[in-house]
Amino acid sequence: AQSVTQPDIHITVSEGASLELRCNYSYGATPYLFWYVQSPGQGLQLLLKYFSGDTLVQGIKGFEAEFKRSQSSFNLRKPSVHWSDAAEYFCAVHRDSNYQLIWGAGTKLIIKP
Amino acid sequence: DTGVSQNPRHKITKRGQNVTFRCDPISEHNRLYWYRQTLGQGPEFLTYFQNEAQLEKSRLLSDRFSAERPKGSFSTLEIQRTEQGDSAMYLCASSFSYGYTFGSGTRLTVV
């Protein structure tokens, strides 16, 4: 069965520092992978997605993610975080049988001034 | 196109009352999803429509929950005889293929 693991519940980063959020998936075929961001009390916004092709994908707000099949990973990165990036980040993969998403538990990003 | 719209944004209700939420998806999207999210957790799937047909319901969706999507446009989610455990954010999303667009959610508080 498909599953998504985000090993870090919380990550604290200083403003201006680089960021990497980890995501590992379990999936038999080529996965369709997504990263979403959720600010407190808000819905989820799509940051970026990977379907096929170039394994380094660019998203909104300066984020990027790299698909590594050998490691079953799809880690999210940003070279320099801003205080406004403080939010919860969710990794997700599409199920085989329909268009449902399987979600990770999320990683809460805290920004230190 | 103003994205996915959910109403109301917040709802406070007394235990035992019925509540109904509405979701207006992006007009060209044929798929519509309802999720529930509690604090510190990822979204939990509740149900899914393709056009007007409800194709899948989660085991989480007890018989107190019912969802409709008449004419394949907007959708409603009704919770009857609310319980305190129903307090959560209810998220609606729509899609045409892969990847969803979410609404801002309806936060339900049952007191």
Side-chain angles (χ1 to χ4, degrees):
Chain A
Q2 299 96 333
S3 65
V4 177
T5 302
Q6 292 180 251
D8 303 305
I9 298 173
H10 299 101
I11 291 240
T12 301
V13 176
S14 297
E15 191 171 12
S18 64
L19 169 71
E20 182 168 27
L21 302 182
R22 295 184 290 164
C23 172
N24 294 96
Y25 65 88
S26 169
Y27 195 83
T30 300
Y32 289 3
L33 293 157
F34 304 81
W35 275 100
Y36 283 84
V37 61
Q38 186 176 35
S39 297
Q42 300 297 312
L44 292 115
Q45 182 182 22
L46 179 66
L47 283 176
L48 47 78
K49 59 190 176 187
Y50 171 78
F51 287 178
S52 64
D54 193 347
T55 55
L56 184 65
V57 293
Q58 302 298 318
I60 62 170
K61 305 186 179 188
F63 285 92
E64 66 178 27
E66 186 170 12
F67 170 60
K68 292 185 178 180
R69 184 187 298 277
S70 61
Q71 297 176 19
S72 297
S73 70
F74 188 56
N75 293 351
L76 182 71
R77 302 194 293 245
K78 187 169 184 177
S80 174
V81 297
H82 186 261
W83 65 266
S84 61
D85 293 325
E88 188 139 23
Y89 292 79
F90 292 93
C91 182
V93 64
H94 260 299
R95 267 177 63 176
D96 273 328
S97 56
N98 60 28
Y99 292 89
Q100 267 192 59
L101 284 173
I102 307 298
W103 296 87
T107 297
K108 185 172 182 179
L109 176 62
I110 300 163
I111 306 294
K112 286 193 303 185
Chain B
D1 175 16
T2 56
V4 178
S5 176
Q6 289 189 249
N7 289 289
R9 289 295 308 275
H10 303 274
K11 178 72 177 177
I12 300 174
T13 191
K14 290 184 179 178
R15 190 174 52 184
Q17 298 294 305
N18 299 344
V19 294
T20 300
F21 310 141
R22 178 179 170 123
C23 172
D24 288 272
I26 292 172
S27 56
E28 58 266 28
H29 286 183
N30 60 342
R31 295 185 181 85
L32 187 147
Y33 305 81
W34 285 99
Y35 281 83
R36 181 172 67 187
Q37 188 181 26
T38 52
L39 207 60
Q41 301 295 317
E44 297 173 300
F45 170 76
L46 293 179
T47 190
Y48 150 60
F49 291 85
Q50 182 161 320
N51 300 312
E52 66 275 11
Q54 188 173 19
L55 295 188
E56 190 167 345
K57 292 197 296 185
S58 165
R59 287 187 296 274
L60 294 173
L61 215 63
S62 76
D63 56 7
R64 295 186 298 106
F65 288 71
S66 62
E68 294 182 343
R69 192 183 183 196
K71 303 178 184 177
S73 56
F74 71 93
S75 176
T76 57
L77 177 68
E78 181 183 14
I79 309 174
Q80 296 182 325
R81 305 181 303 281
T82 52
E83 302 172 356
Q84 286 190 316
D86 297 331
S87 295
M89 175 80 88
Y90 290 84
L91 295 165
C92 175
S94 69
S95 74
F96 183 70
S97 61
Y98 295 103
Y100 300 170
T101 301
F102 279 89
S104 297
T106 294
R107 179 162 296 284
L108 173 67
T109 303
V110 181
V111 297

